[in-house]
Amino acid sequence: MEIKTLAPDLSVSPQLTAQDVGIAASQGFRAIIINRPDHEADDQPYHEDIMAAAARHGLGVRYLPVSPGHLSAQDVENFATAMRELPAPALAYCRTGTRAVSLWALTQAGHLSTDAIIKTAAAAGYDLSGLRARFEPADTQAHHGNGKSPHHEVLIIGGGAAGIATAASILKRRKGIDVAIVEPRTEHYYQPGWTLVGGGVFKREQTERQMAALMPKRATWLHTACAAFAPEHNEVILEDGTRVSYQVLIVAPGIKLDWDAIPGLGATLGRYGVTSNYRFDMAPYTWQLIQSLKRGKALFTQPPMPIKCAGAPQKAMYLARDAWRRGGVLDAIDVEFHSAGGVLFGVQDYVPALQQYVDRYGIELCLNETLVAVDGPAKTAYFDVIGTEGQVRREARPFDMLHVAPPQSAPDFVRQSPLADAAGWVDVDGETLQHRRYGNIFGLGDAGSSPNAKTAAAVRMQAPVVAHNVLNVLDGNAPNAVYNGYGSCPLTVERGKIVLAEFAYGGKPDPTLPSWLIDGTQPSRAAWFLKEKLLPGIYFHQMLRGNEFLARPRLLPHRPTAHEAPAACDFETEQRRG
Ligand code: FAD
């Protein structure tokens, strides 16, 4: 809990948990103000849980949600009223604390000097200089863009695998370039490790690093979230309403895990035997359940594609089955794999090896079955099952353990933006990863529309391509580095063995190593060694530092037509203008 004091009666902090509320009470806070709407992140507590915790500790509480980038005059008035009515001192929070600080600052406009407001916020670690114009007395109403926009040569949205790897690759190529990364989290996760946490191989701490430690030293970290895009002005809008302009924008905010799309799931996770390796805090629970289950039924589910790491739902299942085999309880536990898809794995070359494990482990394959609801207390999952004639029927399945891979989609602020394609992803060319309409925008990682497997392995190949092409665009040239759609999925079929699927666009196998070392279509110990011992190091020490290990981009001598338009050009508008 990082609490920053702004005034005697008000402090702010990033997201609180119910437990933090108790700590805040013990530190003398008498009220909580919740400025973060529910559903912004998959691991965020619901406001009702925070309100209940506040009530338990005898604190006043007010839910005043503010959407990122939409801080209205009414929001400011509500905040001022809450400050007047609630017992002091109060602790206000949102995702990072930025919205809470901005609300406080706007209540002070006209009372404190603009410099004093900005200095106080800065002392607490928040840069509100982009809101300067709104603090002037005549301009405390909500509107955007009156401040002088901060500007960066290259602005990156998202400090995950893709954002940091690309920033590092750009900075390696060009020393003095001005790169900024917008990233709200203080922790960075090595998500490929979560399968091993759920399988009892890694401790979850091995998959977590402080974001500050991974940010490239010469990049500026804007510790806040992006709320919207204004590509026609070469600007993004941050969650406090500040606009930041850029010469080139790289969009890499990952994928949205939609836990609430399945009624009952969000409230049940972590209890009643319901778990998911798709969450840092749940993966240890998966291993706990595997160890404690001695008999009964375990269900593993896979939602419709695309999802990140399409093999992850199966990996969790094989490792569980292997642990039960080793524990001598294989026959006492029935396992069903419910997949919304019609095949076991999307790339046919790897299916025979996987099918052998399905048979050996006695797993019941339930294809074309989509999880639609979970009743935790009744330990029952509901599926929509597509019959042979295409008819859909709903079926209830009891369980003792349920591992869920949630439905996934493009982040809302991308889906609702001019950057999105029809499905909501950042609309990029599959080879250059340049936006199809805005020549000075690139997209990569899970949020991009390129039809590859959404994996960190794909990002490892994409980041150097984007880094090269971004510099080309800044230099007035056409992008000429191309990505071939490479993605990889190490399927942990048993502890100590992996089927290493590596493939490019069109499902074409694309192995990195010679087959005498690793034959990806067969389970192998060498591939397990790679996954457990080498890949985390390659991720943290090579990829995130711009060392393009086995990932130098392929360059074309000349890149034709559509992408040769000048930077910052909206191609469609240009065409309409004739
Ligand atoms: P992320 O790494 O998720 O990063 C996105 C970043 O954007 C986050 O830091 C987030 O905080 C930030 N962000 C979100 N919203 C905003 C906003 N509004 N403004 C600014 N920033 C924002 N891949 C493999 O290659 N091999 C594997 O074995 C593998 N296994 C996996 C197993 C599991 C269980 C999971 C969950 C994933 C696995 N993956 C695997 C997939 C891999 O982790 C992702 O494909 C990869 O992390 C994608 O990188 P990204 O940068 O696009 O997204």
Side-chain angles (χ1 to χ4, degrees):
M1 218 186 3
E2 248 186 89
I3 296 178
K4 302 284 180 177
T5 300
L6 297 171
D9 57 349
L10 182 73
S11 296
V12 295
S13 94
Q15 176 72 51
L16 297 182
T17 62
Q19 201 186 4
D20 293 335
V21 172
I23 298 171
S26 72
Q27 293 181 353
F29 286 100
R30 297 183 59 213
I32 303 286
I33 303 177
I34 306 168
N35 292 130
R36 189 177 191 193
D38 286 339
H39 311 303
E40 281 191 351
D42 47 283
D43 56 353
Q44 169 191 355
Y46 292 109
H47 79 273
E48 286 100 341
D49 294 341
I50 299 295
M51 293 183 87
R56 273 200 306 280
H57 291 282
L59 303 185
V61 63
R62 193 102 9 130
Y63 179 47
L64 302 176
V66 176
S67 297
H70 299 281
L71 204 154
S72 69
Q74 188 61 55
D75 293 328
V76 178
E77 199 178 310
N78 293 343
F79 192 84
T81 308
M83 290 285 296
R84 264 199 318 274
E85 293 178 356
L86 288 170
L91 178 59
Y93 77 85
C94 55
R95 182 192 331 233
T96 59
T98 305
R99 275 167 275 176
V101 177
S102 306
L103 282 164
W104 166 82
L106 287 165
T107 63
Q108 300 308 309
H111 304 291
L112 291 177
S113 76
T114 301
D115 283 346
I117 293 171
I118 290 174
K119 260 195 207 149
T120 307
Y126 296 90
D127 179 6
L128 297 191
S129 54
L131 289 182
R132 178 173 281 277
R134 293 181 64 184
F135 300 141
E136 302 302 330
D139 191 27
T140 51
Q141 301 297 307
H143 56 92
H144 308 306
N146 278 354
K148 197 172 173 308
S149 299
H151 177 84
H152 295 279
E153 240 174 322
V154 178
L155 183 64
I156 300 178
I157 306 303
I164 293 194
T166 311
S169 274
I170 291 174
L171 286 159
K172 249 235 147 101
R173 283 176 164 74
R174 190 163 293 177
K175 295 270 179 289
I177 193 166
D178 162 26
V179 176
I181 303 176
V182 179
E183 168 58 59
R185 284 187 183 274
T186 41
E187 298 83 24
H188 178 108
Y189 296 114
Y190 176 59
Q191 300 168 42
W194 293 350
T195 297
L196 296 185
V197 176
V201 182
F202 279 3
K203 295 275 167 258
R204 75 172 181 182
E205 295 73 30
Q206 287 172 263
T207 68
E208 186 186 27
R209 295 284 187 284
Q210 287 302 301
M211 190 66 78
L214 296 181
M215 282 283 165
K217 296 227 167 359
R218 283 177 284 121
T220 304
W221 177 13
L222 305 178
H223 190 182
T224 180
C226 174
F229 300 96
E232 63 288 359
H233 297 114
N234 293 323
E235 286 179 337
V236 302
I237 298 152
L238 303 182
E239 65 178 347
D240 66 0
T242 304
R243 287 174 173 250
V244 180
S245 63
Y246 54 81
Q247 259 166 283
V248 171
L249 176 69
I250 299 169
V251 185
I255 202 164
K256 174 181 171 185
L257 301 180
D258 203 353
W259 304 100
D260 290 322
I262 298 179
L265 176 59
T268 316
L269 266 180
R271 292 186 287 170
Y272 310 113
V274 182
T275 189
S276 178
N277 287 349
Y278 275 78
R279 267 177 53 163
F280 171 73
D281 56 340
M282 286 298 136
Y285 184 51
T286 303
W287 182 233
Q288 201 183 314
L289 290 173
I290 292 171
Q291 285 177 298
S292 59
L293 195 65
K294 301 294 177 210
R295 54 181 299 137
K297 179 172 278 197
L299 310 182
F300 293 80
T301 74
Q302 178 174 299
M305 294 292 142
I307 63 171
K308 59 177 158 186
C309 195
Q314 289 179 56
K315 296 186 208 177
M317 174 175 70
Y318 298 135
L319 286 180
R321 211 60 185 132
D322 185 51
W324 291 325
R325 180 180 64 81
R326 288 166 194 265
V329 292
L330 188 71
D331 294 338
I333 300 170
D334 292 331
V335 171
E336 296 172 6
F337 183 56
H338 294 265
S339 171
V343 291
L344 179 56
F345 191 70
V347 183
Q348 176 54 34
D349 294 61
Y350 305 100
V351 172
L354 299 176
Q355 186 64 50
Q356 275 182 13
Y357 275 93
V358 167
D359 297 341
R360 187 190 306 173
Y361 288 144
I363 293 166
E364 187 185 339
L365 269 192
C366 308
L367 302 177
N368 299 311
E369 300 197 2
T370 307
L371 180 70
V372 289
V374 178
D375 183 340
K379 293 202 151 199
T380 304
Y382 295 87
F383 294 89
D384 274 355
V385 178
I386 304 179
T388 43
E389 309 285 298
Q391 75 286 11
V392 179
R393 62 179 190 282
R394 184 147 300 184
E395 282 188 4
R397 300 286 176 110
F399 63 81
D400 296 287
M401 172 181 171
L402 173 66
H403 179 278
V404 179
Q408 298 170 41
S409 59
D412 294 340
F413 78 107
V414 172
R415 192 156 37 83
Q416 291 153 5
S417 80
L419 305 189
D421 70 1
W425 309 103
V426 184
D427 190 9
V428 295
D429 174 85
E431 289 195 320
T432 60
L433 304 175
Q434 186 184 34
H435 198 273
R436 290 185 196 277
R437 295 184 299 283
Y438 304 102
N440 63 334
I441 298 182
F442 289 81
L444 76 161
D446 293 348
S449 68
S450 51
N452 53 276
K454 294 186 184 296
T455 58
V459 168
R460 191 167 65 83
M461 306 305 269
Q462 292 176 336
V465 168
V466 171
H468 178 95
N469 287 341
V470 161
L471 295 178
N472 268 14
V473 165
L474 283 172
D475 293 342
N477 299 319
N480 69 333
V482 288
Y483 165 61
N484 74 347
Y486 175 87
S488 159
C489 192
L491 290 135
T492 50
V493 285
E494 60 180 286
R495 195 175 176 131
K497 282 195 186 168
I498 274 177
V499 169
L500 182 60
E502 290 179 285
F503 43 89
Y505 283 142
K508 190 169 144 272
D510 189 16
T512 306
L513 298 169
S515 59
W516 59 264
L517 193 55
I518 294 179
D519 175 1
T521 63
Q522 300 299 323
S524 96
R525 291 194 184 283
W528 178 278
F529 182 79
L530 181 73
K531 165 96 183 159
E532 185 190 352
K533 304 289 183 199
L534 302 183
L535 285 178
I538 291 174
Y539 180 85
F540 287 117
H541 304 303
Q542 305 293 331
M543 180 172 148
L544 297 194
R545 293 193 184 162
N547 299 321
E548 295 164 11
F549 180 63
L550 296 176
R552 301 298 297 176
R554 189 164 69 89
L555 303 185
L556 296 180
H558 175 74
R559 181 85 194 147
T561 58
H563 305 288
E564 287 186 345
C569 168
D570 175 337
F571 296 123
E572 283 186 353
T573 312
E574 288 299 310
Q575 276 164 10
R576 275 201 301 277
R577 281 190 197 127

